[in-house]
Amino acid sequence: MSAARVGVVTFPGTLDDQDAARAVRHAGGEAVPLWHADPDLRGVDAVFLPGGFSYGDYLRCGAISRFAPLMEELIPAARAGLPVLGTCNGFQILCEAHLLPGALMRNAGLHYICRDQGIRVESSTTPWTSDFTEGQEIVLPIKHGEGRYVADEATLGALEAGGQVVFRYTGGNPNGSLNDIAGIRNEAGNIVGLMPHPEHAVEDLTGAPSTDGRAFFSSILKKLVNA
Amino acid sequence: MARVIVDVMLKPEILDAQGQAIARALPRLGFSGVSAVRQGKRFEVEIDGPADETALSDVRKMAETLLANTVIEDYTVTVES
C-alpha cells in the first residue's frame, strides 16, 4: 500500500514547510511539496499550511496568500471535505480565506512571543486530533506576533456551542485570544487552524518541549489509511 | 484621473492594541489631553477615468475583497477633491 500523501504548501516567506514535510515523513506519510503559484493540488489526500511570513505579512497576515493560484484550488477542495491543517500563518490564511471564522490580530501585549505553551485539546473529533483524548494537556512551541483570536459574539457563541474550539491555552493566555482560543475547526471538522506549532514538536533531538506534535500527523495518516 | 481614498479602521468593538500603545506613549512625550487613539490604514487608489459610480463601485469591491477584512474592519470610500 502506498503512503498517504500530505501536501505541504510553500508561499514566498513561508518558514516551516521543511519541518512540516519532515514531520509528515516521520509519521510514515509522503510529503508532497505544493507551490503557491502552481494551481495544482497534485492529488494529495490532505494539506498542511505551514507558518511563516507569507508575502511578508503585507496588508494583513495571510491577506495576499489567500488569493494565490494554489489557494483558488485549495479553497473549493477544502469546502468539499479535503482535510486541511493550518498552523500559525497557515491559520491566519485559513481565516482570511473564510475557511475558518474570525480573525487573528496583533497580540494584546504587542510583543512577539516565542515560548513553550501549555494547550488543552478540547476536541478529538477532527481528522487532525483523533489520536488525542479530549481534555488532554499538551505542550507545543508558539512563536507569533499576531495570534490574538477574535470573532464577533454570535460567531464565538456558535463556535463554543458547536464544539468547534479544538485547542485552548492553559497556564496563561499568551496573546489575549478570546476565550483562550488557540485553535478552531470549521463546522464539518475537516479544516483545523491553530497558532501553536505541532511540526516543531515531533523529535526530542531538536530540543522541542515535547513530542506532542506527533499525534497531529499520526491522526491524519490513520484517517487517510482507513479512508 | 481621479484619486479615491479608502480608509480602513478596526470595528469599534475590536481591541486596538497598537492604538492603545500609541495613546500611552503620548503623555510621556508631553502631549496631554488625549483620551484615546485608534490606528487605521489609508489607501490612495489612483484610477484611470473619472470617479463615477461604476469606478466607485469597483473600489468598494476592492475594499471588500482585499483592502479590508470585514470580519474585523470597517471601511469608507471617498473621492479626493
Side-chain angles (χ1 to χ4, degrees):
Chain A
M1 191 177 58
S2 62
R5 303 174 78 238
V6 179
V8 177
V9 184
T10 302
F11 297 92
T14 295
L15 298 178
D16 302 330
D17 45 346
Q18 296 304 314
D19 273 27
R22 192 173 155 67
V24 169
R25 288 193 298 269
H26 184 273
E30 181 190 346
V32 179
L34 299 177
W35 181 237
H36 73 108
D38 193 2
D40 183 0
L41 291 173
R42 301 179 64 187
V44 294
D45 306 304
V47 170
F48 190 108
L49 280 171
F53 297 89
S54 59
Y55 294 92
D57 277 352
Y58 285 4
L59 187 59
R60 295 177 306 277
C61 305
I64 312 280
S65 325
R66 172 250 174 283
F67 293 103
L70 179 80
M71 291 300 293
E72 302 299 331
E73 292 296 309
L74 179 57
I75 290 168
R79 290 220 170 95
L82 182 75
V84 178
L85 181 73
T87 64
C88 200
N89 191 215
F91 185 16
Q92 294 163 341
I93 294 168
L94 290 173
C95 287
E96 280 285 342
H98 304 304
L99 288 172
L100 291 174
L104 292 145
M105 302 194 53
R106 192 65 68 98
N107 293 346
L110 294 179
H111 291 283
Y112 187 96
I113 301 165
C114 185
R115 72 179 197 207
D116 300 336
Q117 174 69 43
I119 291 142
R120 188 169 58 247
V121 182
E122 302 280 25
S123 167
S124 58
T125 58
T126 84
W128 300 96
T129 56
S130 57
D131 272 357
F132 291 111
T133 53
E134 254 160 51
Q136 188 176 342
E137 306 265 344
I138 62 174
V139 179
L140 292 175
I142 57 168
K143 42 162 199 170
H144 59 251
E146 310 207 15
R148 172 166 54 101
Y149 183 78
V150 298
D152 61 46
E153 225 166 280
T155 305
L156 203 59
L159 284 175
E160 293 286 359
Q164 286 178 248
V165 176
V166 182
F167 303 100
R168 253 185 257 273
Y169 298 115
T170 60
N173 182 332
N175 51 29
S177 283
L178 293 175
N179 295 14
D180 298 335
I181 288 173
I184 57 171
R185 66 169 173 84
N186 65 337
E187 236 178 294
N190 61 304
I191 307 172
V192 175
L194 75 164
M195 288 312 295
H197 289 272
E199 76 283 7
H200 294 333
V202 296
E203 285 179 295
D204 290 323
L205 187 66
T206 58
S210 73
T211 53
D212 292 334
R214 286 181 186 174
F216 287 78
F217 300 93
S218 59
S219 296
I220 190 65
L221 292 179
K222 209 174 285 179
K223 155 91 181 165
L224 296 176
V225 167
N226 293 334
Chain B
M1 277 266 294
R3 175 178 285 181
V4 182
I5 308 299
V6 181
D7 283 303
V8 176
M9 293 298 294
L10 285 176
K11 288 178 191 271
E13 68 271 23
I14 303 281
L15 169 73
D16 177 11
Q18 295 179 98
Q20 285 184 349
I22 294 163
R24 280 196 301 272
L26 289 174
R28 284 205 308 274
L29 303 174
F31 298 102
S32 58
V34 176
S35 55
V37 175
R38 288 183 74 76
Q39 178 181 320
K41 295 189 187 98
R42 170 189 162 105
F43 300 87
E44 298 179 348
V45 183
E46 308 277 349
I47 54 175
D48 294 333
D52 54 16
E53 200 32 57
T54 316
L56 289 180
S57 156
D58 271 353
V59 174
R60 277 192 287 271
K61 213 175 287 170
M62 282 174 219
E64 195 83 27
T65 314
L66 180 63
L67 304 183
N69 177 354
T70 54
V71 173
I72 47 169
E73 294 167 328
D74 294 323
Y75 66 89
T76 57
V77 174
T78 49
V79 181
E80 192 174 76
S81 49

